[in-house]
Amino acid sequence: SALAPASAAAALVAPPPAPPLPPPSGNVVTVSTLNGLQNAVASLTSGTTILIQPGTYRLTGTLRIRSNVANVALRGATGNRDDVVILGNGMAVPGIPHGITCENAQDVLIADLSVGEVQYHPVQLQGEQGCDRVRLYNVRLFDAGEQFVKGTVDFANPNGVDDGIVEYSVIEYTNIGPAHGYTNGVDVHYGANWIIRYNLFRNIRVPAGAPTSLGPAVLMWSGSRHTQTYANTFIDCERAIAYGLGPQAGFVHGHEGGLICSNFIHRHAGVAGDAGISVWDSPGTRVLHNTVFQTGTYPDAIEYRFPGTTGAVIKNNLADGAVRQRDGAQAD
């Protein structure tokens, strides 16, 4: 989506065009019907790529990647994410809880397709089942009933989804989020070493008066660590990036370490929201070279908060609001 006039000398395009992926290798199963897609996912074995032909696929059940598989892929055949559209019954409408779930699966690629209009999550990653190393590439996720990408965990025995990558993708509400307000773009519990880059997050916000609000577009918490979030664009999101939401029982910190760098964050006047970047109980986090322009919708552009936030570095950011210390945090 062009975010600057076509006449501009260097128009900003977000997300940037995704370089084409190499052709699939190994076992390739090509599908062109809903029945073929659902059967191929149900019988997926390690080393297999499901190549999906252009079309709209309205699900009758969640596509579940399970059964201890590794090195698998779901890919749109053309490389254009708009050519393959996987749909549920509607945002927050019962029937199709998730678009795609990864259960006991590792080294999974989901690329060149769109998933939306589901009750809860377009993509759910189940850390408690053993899910790790999932790459979302050149996808569009839209109109989720709750979070768009959800990394879950068993809090009694934390084992989150590690080494996830989200890149060259669009994550958005076409208008506004659900009336209940419980949503985020990427929401990961106890995940390590995630990379979130070159994406467009748009309209991650909910109606006025929703019982829950101010969900960050990127929320890494519940003991997550070493996340890198860089070169993303956030348009009209209530909050853009939060590493931790404060101290959490059972975890040393909400988040640890990581980088928030070279992101562009903009919120138009009249769009309610909070700080663009929040480092809340996340020691050792670096916040560098970001642009945060919120048009007076909230006084703070960047907040670092809680005594557990120590050794943070916040430098060379361009903002129309304050960089604010809260509740005993420490930063350079």
Short mmCIF file of all heavy atoms in Angstrom, two decimals, residues 85-148:
data_model
loop_
_atom_site.label_atom_id
_atom_site.label_comp_id
_atom_site.label_asym_id
_atom_site.label_seq_id
_atom_site.Cartn_x
_atom_site.Cartn_y
_atom_site.Cartn_z
N VAL A 85 -6.76 -16.82 -0.83
CA VAL A 85 -7.44 -16.23 0.33
C VAL A 85 -8.15 -17.35 1.10
O VAL A 85 -9.04 -18.02 0.56
CB VAL A 85 -8.44 -15.15 -0.10
CG1 VAL A 85 -9.11 -14.53 1.13
CG2 VAL A 85 -7.75 -14.07 -0.94
N ILE A 86 -7.75 -17.54 2.34
CA ILE A 86 -8.32 -18.57 3.22
C ILE A 86 -9.20 -17.87 4.23
O ILE A 86 -8.74 -16.99 4.98
CB ILE A 86 -7.20 -19.38 3.89
CG1 ILE A 86 -6.37 -20.11 2.83
CG2 ILE A 86 -7.77 -20.36 4.90
CD1 ILE A 86 -5.12 -20.77 3.37
N LEU A 87 -10.49 -18.24 4.29
CA LEU A 87 -11.47 -17.51 5.08
C LEU A 87 -12.15 -18.41 6.10
O LEU A 87 -12.40 -19.59 5.85
CB LEU A 87 -12.55 -16.91 4.17
CG LEU A 87 -12.12 -15.86 3.16
CD1 LEU A 87 -13.31 -15.48 2.28
CD2 LEU A 87 -11.56 -14.63 3.86
N GLY A 88 -12.52 -17.79 7.25
CA GLY A 88 -13.40 -18.42 8.21
C GLY A 88 -14.82 -17.94 8.02
O GLY A 88 -15.22 -17.54 6.91
N ASN A 89 -15.59 -17.96 9.10
CA ASN A 89 -17.00 -17.56 9.03
C ASN A 89 -17.22 -16.09 9.28
O ASN A 89 -18.35 -15.60 9.16
CB ASN A 89 -17.81 -18.34 10.08
CG ASN A 89 -17.98 -19.80 9.70
OD1 ASN A 89 -17.77 -20.18 8.54
ND2 ASN A 89 -18.34 -20.62 10.66
N GLY A 90 -16.16 -15.37 9.66
CA GLY A 90 -16.29 -13.95 9.98
C GLY A 90 -15.55 -13.63 11.26
O GLY A 90 -15.37 -14.49 12.13
N MET A 91 -15.12 -12.39 11.38
CA MET A 91 -14.40 -11.95 12.56
C MET A 91 -15.24 -12.16 13.82
O MET A 91 -16.35 -11.64 13.91
CB MET A 91 -14.03 -10.47 12.41
CG MET A 91 -13.23 -9.90 13.54
SD MET A 91 -12.75 -8.18 13.24
CE MET A 91 -14.33 -7.34 13.48
N ALA A 92 -14.70 -12.92 14.77
CA ALA A 92 -15.36 -13.19 16.05
C ALA A 92 -16.64 -14.00 15.91
O ALA A 92 -17.41 -14.10 16.86
CB ALA A 92 -15.62 -11.89 16.81
N VAL A 93 -16.88 -14.62 14.75
CA VAL A 93 -18.07 -15.44 14.54
C VAL A 93 -17.71 -16.89 14.81
O VAL A 93 -16.74 -17.41 14.26
CB VAL A 93 -18.60 -15.28 13.10
CG1 VAL A 93 -19.78 -16.22 12.85
CG2 VAL A 93 -19.00 -13.84 12.83
N PRO A 94 -18.45 -17.62 15.66
CA PRO A 94 -18.12 -19.01 15.96
C PRO A 94 -18.16 -19.89 14.72
O PRO A 94 -18.84 -19.59 13.73
CB PRO A 94 -19.21 -19.42 16.96
CG PRO A 94 -19.68 -18.15 17.58
CD PRO A 94 -19.59 -17.12 16.48
N GLY A 95 -17.41 -20.99 14.80
CA GLY A 95 -17.42 -21.98 13.73
C GLY A 95 -16.03 -22.35 13.27
O GLY A 95 -15.68 -23.52 13.23
N ILE A 96 -15.20 -21.36 12.93
CA ILE A 96 -13.82 -21.61 12.53
C ILE A 96 -12.94 -20.85 13.53
O ILE A 96 -12.70 -19.65 13.37
CB ILE A 96 -13.53 -21.14 11.09
CG1 ILE A 96 -14.56 -21.72 10.12
CG2 ILE A 96 -12.12 -21.54 10.68
CD1 ILE A 96 -14.58 -23.22 10.03
N PRO A 97 -12.47 -21.52 14.59
CA PRO A 97 -11.73 -20.78 15.62
C PRO A 97 -10.43 -20.17 15.11
O PRO A 97 -10.09 -19.03 15.46
CB PRO A 97 -11.47 -21.84 16.70
CG PRO A 97 -11.66 -23.15 16.03
CD PRO A 97 -12.65 -22.93 14.94
N HIS A 98 -9.68 -20.92 14.28
CA HIS A 98 -8.39 -20.45 13.77
C HIS A 98 -8.30 -20.77 12.28
O HIS A 98 -8.92 -21.73 11.81
CB HIS A 98 -7.24 -21.10 14.51
CG HIS A 98 -7.40 -21.16 16.00
ND1 HIS A 98 -7.52 -20.03 16.77
CD2 HIS A 98 -7.48 -22.22 16.86
CE1 HIS A 98 -7.67 -20.38 18.04
NE2 HIS A 98 -7.66 -21.70 18.11
N GLY A 99 -7.49 -20.01 11.58
CA GLY A 99 -7.24 -20.35 10.19
C GLY A 99 -6.27 -21.51 10.08
O GLY A 99 -6.57 -22.56 9.53
N ILE A 100 -5.05 -21.31 10.61
CA ILE A 100 -3.99 -22.32 10.57
C ILE A 100 -3.43 -22.46 11.97
O ILE A 100 -3.11 -21.45 12.63
CB ILE A 100 -2.86 -21.90 9.61
CG1 ILE A 100 -3.40 -21.71 8.18
CG2 ILE A 100 -1.73 -22.93 9.61
CD1 ILE A 100 -2.41 -21.04 7.25
N THR A 101 -3.30 -23.67 12.47
CA THR A 101 -2.60 -23.92 13.72
C THR A 101 -1.38 -24.79 13.45
O THR A 101 -1.40 -25.69 12.61
CB THR A 101 -3.47 -24.62 14.78
OG1 THR A 101 -3.85 -25.92 14.30
CG2 THR A 101 -4.72 -23.81 15.09
N CYS A 102 -0.30 -24.49 14.17
CA CYS A 102 0.89 -25.33 14.17
C CYS A 102 1.01 -25.92 15.56
O CYS A 102 1.19 -25.19 16.54
CB CYS A 102 2.13 -24.53 13.81
SG CYS A 102 2.11 -23.83 12.15
N GLU A 103 0.92 -27.23 15.65
CA GLU A 103 0.91 -27.92 16.94
C GLU A 103 2.30 -28.51 17.19
O GLU A 103 3.23 -27.76 17.45
CB GLU A 103 -0.23 -28.92 16.95
CG GLU A 103 -1.58 -28.22 16.75
CD GLU A 103 -2.78 -29.12 16.60
OE1 GLU A 103 -2.68 -30.32 16.94
OE2 GLU A 103 -3.84 -28.63 16.15
N ASN A 104 2.48 -29.80 17.08
CA ASN A 104 3.82 -30.38 17.24
C ASN A 104 4.50 -30.34 15.87
O ASN A 104 4.61 -31.34 15.18
CB ASN A 104 3.73 -31.81 17.77
CG ASN A 104 5.08 -32.36 18.16
OD1 ASN A 104 6.09 -31.68 18.04
ND2 ASN A 104 5.11 -33.60 18.61
N ALA A 105 4.97 -29.15 15.50
CA ALA A 105 5.55 -28.93 14.16
C ALA A 105 6.71 -27.96 14.29
O ALA A 105 6.65 -26.99 15.04
CB ALA A 105 4.50 -28.36 13.21
N GLN A 106 7.76 -28.25 13.54
CA GLN A 106 8.94 -27.40 13.55
C GLN A 106 9.37 -27.09 12.11
O GLN A 106 9.12 -27.87 11.20
CB GLN A 106 10.10 -28.08 14.29
CG GLN A 106 9.81 -28.44 15.74
CD GLN A 106 9.04 -29.74 15.89
OE1 GLN A 106 9.34 -30.72 15.19
NE2 GLN A 106 8.06 -29.76 16.78
N ASP A 107 10.02 -25.94 11.94
CA ASP A 107 10.51 -25.51 10.63
C ASP A 107 9.37 -25.48 9.61
O ASP A 107 9.36 -26.20 8.61
CB ASP A 107 11.65 -26.43 10.16
CG ASP A 107 12.82 -26.41 11.13
OD1 ASP A 107 13.44 -25.34 11.27
OD2 ASP A 107 13.08 -27.44 11.78
N VAL A 108 8.41 -24.61 9.90
CA VAL A 108 7.21 -24.45 9.09
C VAL A 108 7.27 -23.12 8.36
O VAL A 108 7.58 -22.08 8.95
CB VAL A 108 5.95 -24.50 9.98
CG1 VAL A 108 4.69 -24.28 9.14
CG2 VAL A 108 5.88 -25.82 10.74
N LEU A 109 6.97 -23.14 7.07
CA LEU A 109 6.87 -21.94 6.26
C LEU A 109 5.42 -21.74 5.83
O LEU A 109 4.81 -22.65 5.28
CB LEU A 109 7.77 -22.06 5.02
CG LEU A 109 7.60 -20.97 3.94
CD1 LEU A 109 8.03 -19.61 4.47
CD2 LEU A 109 8.39 -21.34 2.68
N ILE A 110 4.88 -20.56 6.10
CA ILE A 110 3.56 -20.16 5.60
C ILE A 110 3.79 -18.91 4.78
O ILE A 110 4.23 -17.88 5.32
CB ILE A 110 2.58 -19.91 6.76
CG1 ILE A 110 2.41 -21.17 7.60
CG2 ILE A 110 1.23 -19.45 6.22
CD1 ILE A 110 1.62 -20.96 8.89
N ALA A 111 3.53 -18.97 3.47
CA ALA A 111 3.99 -17.89 2.59
C ALA A 111 3.02 -17.63 1.45
O ALA A 111 2.30 -18.54 0.99
CB ALA A 111 5.37 -18.25 2.02
N ASP A 112 2.99 -16.37 1.01
CA ASP A 112 2.34 -15.99 -0.25
C ASP A 112 0.85 -16.28 -0.26
O ASP A 112 0.30 -16.73 -1.26
CB ASP A 112 3.03 -16.69 -1.43
CG ASP A 112 4.52 -16.39 -1.52
OD1 ASP A 112 4.92 -15.29 -1.09
OD2 ASP A 112 5.28 -17.24 -2.02
N LEU A 113 0.17 -15.99 0.85
CA LEU A 113 -1.27 -16.22 0.93
C LEU A 113 -1.88 -15.29 1.97
O LEU A 113 -1.17 -14.58 2.69
CB LEU A 113 -1.56 -17.69 1.25
CG LEU A 113 -0.86 -18.34 2.44
CD1 LEU A 113 -1.48 -17.97 3.79
CD2 LEU A 113 -0.84 -19.86 2.29
N SER A 114 -3.21 -15.28 2.04
CA SER A 114 -3.96 -14.47 2.99
C SER A 114 -4.86 -15.35 3.84
O SER A 114 -5.40 -16.34 3.35
CB SER A 114 -4.82 -13.43 2.26
OG SER A 114 -4.02 -12.52 1.52
N VAL A 115 -5.02 -14.97 5.12
CA VAL A 115 -5.91 -15.68 6.04
C VAL A 115 -6.67 -14.65 6.86
O VAL A 115 -6.06 -13.73 7.42
CB VAL A 115 -5.14 -16.61 7.00
CG1 VAL A 115 -6.12 -17.48 7.80
CG2 VAL A 115 -4.14 -17.48 6.26
N GLY A 116 -8.00 -14.80 6.94
CA GLY A 116 -8.75 -13.83 7.72
C GLY A 116 -10.17 -14.27 8.01
O GLY A 116 -10.60 -15.36 7.65
N GLU A 117 -10.87 -13.38 8.72
CA GLU A 117 -12.28 -13.57 9.07
C GLU A 117 -12.50 -14.86 9.86
O GLU A 117 -13.35 -15.68 9.54
CB GLU A 117 -13.16 -13.55 7.81
CG GLU A 117 -13.10 -12.22 7.06
CD GLU A 117 -14.01 -12.19 5.86
OE1 GLU A 117 -14.86 -13.10 5.71
OE2 GLU A 117 -13.88 -11.25 5.06
N VAL A 118 -11.72 -15.00 10.95
CA VAL A 118 -11.84 -16.16 11.81
C VAL A 118 -12.28 -15.73 13.21
O VAL A 118 -12.17 -14.56 13.58
CB VAL A 118 -10.53 -16.96 11.89
CG1 VAL A 118 -10.16 -17.53 10.54
CG2 VAL A 118 -9.40 -16.09 12.43
N GLN A 119 -12.75 -16.70 13.98
CA GLN A 119 -13.27 -16.39 15.32
C GLN A 119 -12.17 -15.88 16.24
O GLN A 119 -12.38 -14.93 16.99
CB GLN A 119 -13.92 -17.63 15.93
CG GLN A 119 -14.55 -17.39 17.29
CD GLN A 119 -15.22 -18.63 17.86
OE1 GLN A 119 -15.14 -19.71 17.27
NE2 GLN A 119 -15.88 -18.48 18.99
N TYR A 120 -10.99 -16.50 16.20
CA TYR A 120 -9.91 -16.12 17.10
C TYR A 120 -8.66 -15.69 16.32
O TYR A 120 -8.43 -14.51 16.11
CB TYR A 120 -9.58 -17.26 18.07
CG TYR A 120 -10.73 -17.67 18.95
CD1 TYR A 120 -11.16 -18.99 18.99
CD2 TYR A 120 -11.40 -16.74 19.76
CE1 TYR A 120 -12.22 -19.38 19.81
CE2 TYR A 120 -12.46 -17.12 20.58
CZ TYR A 120 -12.87 -18.44 20.59
OH TYR A 120 -13.92 -18.83 21.40
N HIS A 121 -7.82 -16.66 15.91
CA HIS A 121 -6.50 -16.34 15.37
C HIS A 121 -6.34 -16.84 13.93
O HIS A 121 -6.52 -18.03 13.68
CB HIS A 121 -5.41 -17.00 16.22
CG HIS A 121 -5.60 -16.85 17.70
ND1 HIS A 121 -5.75 -15.62 18.29
CD2 HIS A 121 -5.67 -17.77 18.70
CE1 HIS A 121 -5.90 -15.78 19.60
NE2 HIS A 121 -5.87 -17.08 19.87
N PRO A 122 -5.97 -16.00 12.99
CA PRO A 122 -5.61 -16.51 11.67
C PRO A 122 -4.46 -17.52 11.72
O PRO A 122 -4.47 -18.51 11.00
CB PRO A 122 -5.19 -15.24 10.90
CG PRO A 122 -6.00 -14.15 11.55
CD PRO A 122 -6.04 -14.52 13.00
N VAL A 123 -3.47 -17.27 12.60
CA VAL A 123 -2.37 -18.22 12.78
C VAL A 123 -2.15 -18.40 14.28
O VAL A 123 -1.86 -17.43 15.00
CB VAL A 123 -1.07 -17.74 12.12
CG1 VAL A 123 0.07 -18.72 12.40
CG2 VAL A 123 -1.26 -17.56 10.61
N GLN A 124 -2.28 -19.64 14.75
CA GLN A 124 -2.01 -19.97 16.14
C GLN A 124 -0.85 -20.95 16.20
O GLN A 124 -0.84 -21.98 15.50
CB GLN A 124 -3.24 -20.58 16.83
CG GLN A 124 -3.02 -20.81 18.32
CD GLN A 124 -4.00 -21.78 18.93
OE1 GLN A 124 -4.16 -22.89 18.44
NE2 GLN A 124 -4.67 -21.37 20.00
N LEU A 125 0.14 -20.65 17.06
CA LEU A 125 1.34 -21.46 17.21
C LEU A 125 1.36 -21.98 18.65
O LEU A 125 1.42 -21.19 19.60
CB LEU A 125 2.59 -20.63 16.92
CG LEU A 125 2.54 -19.82 15.61
CD1 LEU A 125 3.78 -18.96 15.48
CD2 LEU A 125 2.37 -20.73 14.40
N GLN A 126 1.36 -23.29 18.82
CA GLN A 126 1.17 -23.89 20.14
C GLN A 126 2.51 -24.35 20.71
O GLN A 126 2.98 -25.46 20.46
CB GLN A 126 0.18 -25.05 20.04
CG GLN A 126 -1.20 -24.60 19.59
CD GLN A 126 -2.23 -25.72 19.57
OE1 GLN A 126 -1.95 -26.85 19.95
NE2 GLN A 126 -3.43 -25.40 19.13
N GLY A 127 3.11 -23.47 21.51
CA GLY A 127 4.37 -23.81 22.13
C GLY A 127 4.29 -25.00 23.05
O GLY A 127 5.22 -25.81 23.14
N GLU A 128 3.16 -25.16 23.73
CA GLU A 128 3.00 -26.27 24.66
C GLU A 128 2.99 -27.62 23.96
O GLU A 128 3.24 -28.66 24.57
CB GLU A 128 1.72 -26.10 25.49
CG GLU A 128 0.42 -26.20 24.71
CD GLU A 128 -0.02 -24.90 24.03
OE1 GLU A 128 0.82 -23.97 23.92
OE2 GLU A 128 -1.19 -24.83 23.62
N GLN A 129 2.73 -27.62 22.64
CA GLN A 129 2.74 -28.86 21.86
C GLN A 129 4.10 -29.14 21.22
O GLN A 129 4.30 -30.20 20.63
CB GLN A 129 1.68 -28.79 20.76
CG GLN A 129 0.26 -28.65 21.25
CD GLN A 129 -0.30 -29.91 21.86
OE1 GLN A 129 0.29 -30.98 21.72
NE2 GLN A 129 -1.41 -29.79 22.55
N GLY A 130 5.02 -28.15 21.29
CA GLY A 130 6.34 -28.35 20.70
C GLY A 130 6.58 -27.56 19.43
O GLY A 130 7.55 -27.84 18.71
N CYS A 131 5.75 -26.57 19.14
CA CYS A 131 5.93 -25.77 17.92
C CYS A 131 7.13 -24.83 18.07
O CYS A 131 7.26 -24.12 19.06
CB CYS A 131 4.66 -24.96 17.66
SG CYS A 131 4.76 -23.90 16.20
N ASP A 132 8.00 -24.83 17.06
CA ASP A 132 9.15 -23.93 17.00
C ASP A 132 9.49 -23.63 15.54
O ASP A 132 9.14 -24.39 14.64
CB ASP A 132 10.39 -24.55 17.66
CG ASP A 132 10.34 -24.53 19.17
OD1 ASP A 132 10.04 -23.47 19.75
OD2 ASP A 132 10.61 -25.59 19.78
N ARG A 133 10.16 -22.51 15.34
CA ARG A 133 10.74 -22.14 14.05
C ARG A 133 9.69 -22.10 12.94
O ARG A 133 9.75 -22.85 11.97
CB ARG A 133 11.90 -23.09 13.69
CG ARG A 133 13.04 -23.03 14.69
CD ARG A 133 14.21 -23.90 14.29
NE ARG A 133 13.84 -25.30 14.12
CZ ARG A 133 13.70 -26.17 15.13
NH1 ARG A 133 13.89 -25.77 16.39
NH2 ARG A 133 13.38 -27.42 14.90
N VAL A 134 8.77 -21.16 13.11
CA VAL A 134 7.74 -20.91 12.10
C VAL A 134 8.07 -19.59 11.42
O VAL A 134 8.34 -18.58 12.09
CB VAL A 134 6.34 -20.87 12.72
CG1 VAL A 134 5.30 -20.52 11.67
CG2 VAL A 134 6.02 -22.22 13.37
N ARG A 135 8.00 -19.58 10.11
CA ARG A 135 8.28 -18.37 9.31
C ARG A 135 7.03 -17.98 8.55
O ARG A 135 6.51 -18.77 7.76
CB ARG A 135 9.42 -18.65 8.34
CG ARG A 135 9.85 -17.45 7.51
CD ARG A 135 10.88 -17.88 6.47
NE ARG A 135 11.45 -16.76 5.75
CZ ARG A 135 12.19 -16.85 4.64
NH1 ARG A 135 12.46 -18.08 4.15
NH2 ARG A 135 12.66 -15.79 4.03
N LEU A 136 6.55 -16.78 8.80
CA LEU A 136 5.44 -16.20 8.04
C LEU A 136 6.03 -15.20 7.07
O LEU A 136 6.66 -14.21 7.48
CB LEU A 136 4.44 -15.52 8.96
CG LEU A 136 3.84 -16.38 10.08
CD1 LEU A 136 2.85 -15.57 10.89
CD2 LEU A 136 3.18 -17.62 9.53
N TYR A 137 5.81 -15.44 5.77
CA TYR A 137 6.50 -14.66 4.74
C TYR A 137 5.49 -14.20 3.69
O TYR A 137 4.78 -15.02 3.09
CB TYR A 137 7.56 -15.55 4.07
CG TYR A 137 8.46 -14.82 3.10
CD1 TYR A 137 9.63 -14.22 3.53
CD2 TYR A 137 8.14 -14.73 1.75
CE1 TYR A 137 10.47 -13.56 2.65
CE2 TYR A 137 8.97 -14.06 0.85
CZ TYR A 137 10.14 -13.47 1.31
OH TYR A 137 10.95 -12.81 0.44
N ASN A 138 5.41 -12.89 3.50
CA ASN A 138 4.54 -12.33 2.46
C ASN A 138 3.11 -12.84 2.61
O ASN A 138 2.48 -13.29 1.66
CB ASN A 138 5.08 -12.67 1.07
CG ASN A 138 4.34 -11.93 -0.04
OD1 ASN A 138 3.92 -10.79 0.13
ND2 ASN A 138 4.17 -12.59 -1.19
N VAL A 139 2.58 -12.74 3.83
CA VAL A 139 1.18 -13.10 4.06
C VAL A 139 0.39 -11.85 4.41
O VAL A 139 0.94 -10.83 4.82
CB VAL A 139 1.04 -14.15 5.20
CG1 VAL A 139 1.82 -15.41 4.87
CG2 VAL A 139 1.48 -13.58 6.54
N ARG A 140 -0.91 -11.94 4.23
CA ARG A 140 -1.84 -10.93 4.74
C ARG A 140 -2.76 -11.62 5.73
O ARG A 140 -3.43 -12.61 5.38
CB ARG A 140 -2.66 -10.29 3.63
CG ARG A 140 -3.68 -9.27 4.16
CD ARG A 140 -4.47 -8.60 3.04
NE ARG A 140 -5.45 -7.67 3.58
CZ ARG A 140 -6.78 -7.78 3.44
NH1 ARG A 140 -7.29 -8.79 2.73
NH2 ARG A 140 -7.59 -6.90 3.98
N LEU A 141 -2.79 -11.11 6.95
CA LEU A 141 -3.69 -11.60 7.99
C LEU A 141 -4.65 -10.47 8.31
O LEU A 141 -4.22 -9.34 8.60
CB LEU A 141 -2.91 -12.02 9.24
CG LEU A 141 -1.76 -13.01 9.02
CD1 LEU A 141 -1.05 -13.31 10.32
CD2 LEU A 141 -2.25 -14.29 8.34
N PHE A 142 -5.94 -10.75 8.26
CA PHE A 142 -6.91 -9.67 8.37
C PHE A 142 -8.14 -10.11 9.15
O PHE A 142 -8.54 -11.27 9.16
CB PHE A 142 -7.31 -9.15 6.98
CG PHE A 142 -8.00 -10.17 6.10
CD1 PHE A 142 -9.38 -10.19 5.97
CD2 PHE A 142 -7.26 -11.11 5.39
CE1 PHE A 142 -10.01 -11.12 5.17
CE2 PHE A 142 -7.88 -12.04 4.57
CZ PHE A 142 -9.27 -12.05 4.46
N ASP A 143 -8.73 -9.16 9.86
CA ASP A 143 -10.02 -9.30 10.54
C ASP A 143 -10.06 -10.54 11.43
O ASP A 143 -10.88 -11.44 11.26
CB ASP A 143 -11.15 -9.30 9.50
CG ASP A 143 -11.24 -7.96 8.78
OD1 ASP A 143 -10.69 -6.97 9.31
OD2 ASP A 143 -11.84 -7.91 7.70
N ALA A 144 -9.18 -10.51 12.42
CA ALA A 144 -9.11 -11.58 13.42
C ALA A 144 -10.07 -11.28 14.56
O ALA A 144 -10.20 -10.13 14.99
CB ALA A 144 -7.69 -11.71 13.96
N GLY A 145 -10.69 -12.33 15.11
CA GLY A 145 -11.55 -12.15 16.27
C GLY A 145 -10.78 -11.85 17.54
O GLY A 145 -11.31 -11.21 18.45
N GLU A 146 -9.51 -12.30 17.61
CA GLU A 146 -8.62 -11.94 18.71
C GLU A 146 -7.25 -11.60 18.11
O GLU A 146 -7.17 -10.75 17.24
CB GLU A 146 -8.56 -13.07 19.75
CG GLU A 146 -9.88 -13.23 20.52
CD GLU A 146 -9.81 -14.25 21.64
OE1 GLU A 146 -8.74 -14.88 21.82
OE2 GLU A 146 -10.82 -14.42 22.36
N GLN A 147 -6.18 -12.24 18.57
CA GLN A 147 -4.85 -11.92 18.05
C GLN A 147 -4.65 -12.51 16.65
O GLN A 147 -5.19 -13.57 16.34
CB GLN A 147 -3.77 -12.45 19.01
CG GLN A 147 -3.73 -11.76 20.36
CD GLN A 147 -4.84 -12.18 21.30
OE1 GLN A 147 -5.35 -13.31 21.21
NE2 GLN A 147 -5.23 -11.29 22.19
N PHE A 148 -3.83 -11.87 15.86
CA PHE A 148 -3.59 -12.34 14.49
C PHE A 148 -2.58 -13.50 14.48
O PHE A 148 -2.82 -14.51 13.82
CB PHE A 148 -3.07 -11.19 13.63
CG PHE A 148 -4.11 -10.15 13.31
CD1 PHE A 148 -4.47 -9.19 14.23
CD2 PHE A 148 -4.73 -10.13 12.07
CE1 PHE A 148 -5.43 -8.23 13.94
CE2 PHE A 148 -5.68 -9.18 11.76
CZ PHE A 148 -6.04 -8.23 12.70
#
